[in-house]
Amino acid sequence: MLKKKILLGVTGGIAAYKSAELIRLIIKSGAEVRVVMTKAATEFVQPLTYQALSGHRVYTDIFDAEADSAMDHIELARWADLMIVAPASADFIAKMRNGYADNLLLTLCLASKQPVAIAPAMNQQMYANRATQDNIKQLASRAVLIWGPDDGEQACGDTGPGRMLEPTELFERVAEYLSPGKLDGKNVLITAGPTREPIDPVRYISNRSTGRMGYALAQAAHQAGAGVTLVSGPVNLDAPSGVERISVSSAIEMRDAVIERVAKVDIFIACAAVSDYRVEQVAAQKIKKTTQKIKLELIPNPDIVSEVTRLKNKPFTLGFAAETEKLEQHAVEKLQRKNLDMIAANRVAAEQTGFESDTNELTVIWPDGQRLLTLNDKNEIAKQLIDLVAERYNASS
Ligand code: PMT
């Protein structure tokens, strides 16, 4: 990690002593570390300990940082290649989720354009609390990297998830994150979310896609070094930082946004749940309720991914197959019919996979191979899928 710059934030928790070892490992790898502590953290470890290990003064106060002509708090935020808060207490996570800036570390999290990782560390009951779970989920949806926690014996005597990851594990995450990406210099276009096909000014046909899988892929591709454009249907998610988002509503709008951009793209990933049909005659006014049956005439929408793979200079293309039965058979048919380089077969009838869930499982198929990505968090599945796409893309070019 030669010459990389890491800003380590330490909050009040017994695991703060482990951060000393993390600093040592980072320094040994040739990177530079600056440490910021909250007031509560200084109750557990003396700033002098981190100062001695990092070779730099430790920042504890926002006014302190501003008074330091060498680096004020905005400069500190800009200086870092990566910011990691380890340990991140439940209180800190709650404040960060709400955008508080009442101490230096929180201010830096708000002011940073760079990636921020947190290593949660707290009592297992506090971690399991819905408030904490909700806070962590929110931060993850804003592209904050969530590293840990570990499961095991805790300082308070409890056992369960809540321990901070060990310094060696955290160091590996930092090193992996900062190592050259597998998709460095590549442009990736991803579709995500549902489409909405209007019936009249107030009604539409849509589906259960939340966009979580596609957004996780955009984040993973960005982390792998790619320039990422995300063409997204209407979802309730923030764009991952560093990713350009184009918001669309209908399948036709999604098609136009993709076709306009696809010429400059190396890899296209079609994760959106595009409506196969749209209403032929969209009513100009709200359709009035009567006691009679009504009929909606539906016509097929353009197949976006097939249009892309028909292009003369088609990008490397990964499609998805959302299936409720005969998963692999239907996926292979789509791989061939849509002329894809790879397809991710997604069983969508089960609760933990596919639409709306936080987890997923995919069988990824390409013409001469396949790999199962077993049930895991969508962010982790996305990371594994992007690694596999990079591997297959490099093998094909
Ligand atoms: O968004 P989440 O809640 O996280 O859920 C994720 C997901 C289940 C939506 C996702 O993992 C997934 O399976 N996406 C594909 C959904 C889908 O529409 O599959 P399909 O089998 O109907 O379509 C096959 C492929 O053709 C897909 O790549 C699709 O994007 C593409 N397609 C389909 C129709 C169309 N008109 N144009 C397309 O490009």
Side-chain angles (χ1 to χ4, degrees), residues 191 193 208-214 251 270-276 301-306 318-323 334 338 343-344 346 348 354-357 360 362 378:
T191 63
R208 290 168 43 203
S209 172
T210 59
R212 277 179 219 152
M213 191 66 241
C271 184
V274 186
S275 181
D276 289 320
N301 266 327
D303 190 305
I304 304 169
V305 77
S306 300
L318 164 72
F320 272 71
E323 306 296 343
K334 282 181 186 166
K338 299 192 182 215
I343 194 153
N346 201 162
V348 290
F355 294 97
E356 292 176 320
S357 59
N360 210 357
L362 299 172
K378 276 184 179 163

Side-chain angles (χ1 to χ4, degrees), residues 104-346:
L104 177 60
L105 188 53
L106 285 163
T107 309
L108 289 169
C109 289
L110 269 188
S112 177
K113 270 191 171 175
Q114 300 304 97
V116 179
I118 60 169
M122 65 200 73
N123 163 270
Q124 53 89 21
Q125 202 58 52
M126 290 169 79
Y127 178 68
N129 190 294
R130 278 177 61 192
T132 306
Q133 287 299 314
D134 189 42
N135 291 336
I136 290 177
K137 214 175 189 179
Q138 266 298 321
L139 290 175
S141 79
R142 291 182 214 156
V144 172
L145 305 161
I146 315 291
W147 289 346
D150 230 346
D151 198 334
E153 206 177 309
Q154 302 201 295
C156 57
D158 279 6
T159 304
R163 278 163 57 118
M164 186 172 92
L165 288 183
E166 290 303 317
T168 44
E169 167 90 37
L170 283 175
F171 172 72
E172 273 169 30
R173 303 272 183 121
V174 172
E176 192 192 341
Y177 190 84
L178 292 175
S179 60
K182 293 184 176 163
L183 292 178
D184 263 351
K186 301 295 168 210
N187 287 318
V188 178
L189 182 65
I190 300 175
T191 63
T195 63
R196 285 182 185 172
E197 309 304 324
I199 297 171
D200 67 16
V202 298
R203 302 180 178 99
Y204 55 79
I205 298 171
S206 191
N207 59 63
R208 290 168 43 203
S209 172
T210 59
R212 277 179 219 152
M213 191 66 241
Y215 276 57
L217 284 166
Q219 184 174 332
H222 173 66
Q223 278 166 14
V228 181
T229 305
L230 181 62
V231 176
S232 172
V235 297
N236 199 14
L237 298 172
D238 292 324
S241 69
V243 167
E244 184 193 10
R245 174 168 59 180
I246 315 293
S247 296
V248 297
S249 182
S250 66
I252 297 280
E253 284 175 25
M254 186 172 275
R255 178 228 169 249
D256 291 350
V258 166
I259 297 302
E260 197 183 317
R261 290 166 178 84
V262 76
K264 297 189 192 113
V265 158
D266 303 288
I267 296 170
F268 175 54
I269 301 179
C271 184
V274 186
S275 181
D276 289 320
Y277 296 92
R278 68 179 183 279
V279 177
E280 189 168 27
Q281 292 292 338
V282 178
Q285 305 301 332
K286 184 180 170 198
I287 299 170
K288 288 289 167 204
K289 181 179 153 189
T290 68
T291 51
Q292 305 301 305
K293 275 188 190 171
I294 61 164
K295 264 192 182 164
L296 291 175
E297 292 283 346
L298 303 180
I299 53 170
N301 266 327
D303 190 305
I304 304 169
V305 77
S306 300
E307 269 195 50
V308 168
T309 59
R310 277 199 295 270
L311 294 172
K312 208 164 144 222
N313 291 318
K314 80 172 188 79
F316 182 91
T317 302
L318 164 72
F320 272 71
E323 306 296 343
T324 55
E325 56 166 355
K326 299 182 185 155
L327 182 72
E328 289 185 24
Q329 183 191 325
H330 287 164
V332 169
E333 275 163 24
K334 282 181 186 166
L335 176 78
Q336 290 163 354
R337 176 159 43 87
K338 299 192 182 215
N339 190 23
L340 305 170
D341 295 290
M342 297 174 87
I343 194 153
N346 201 162

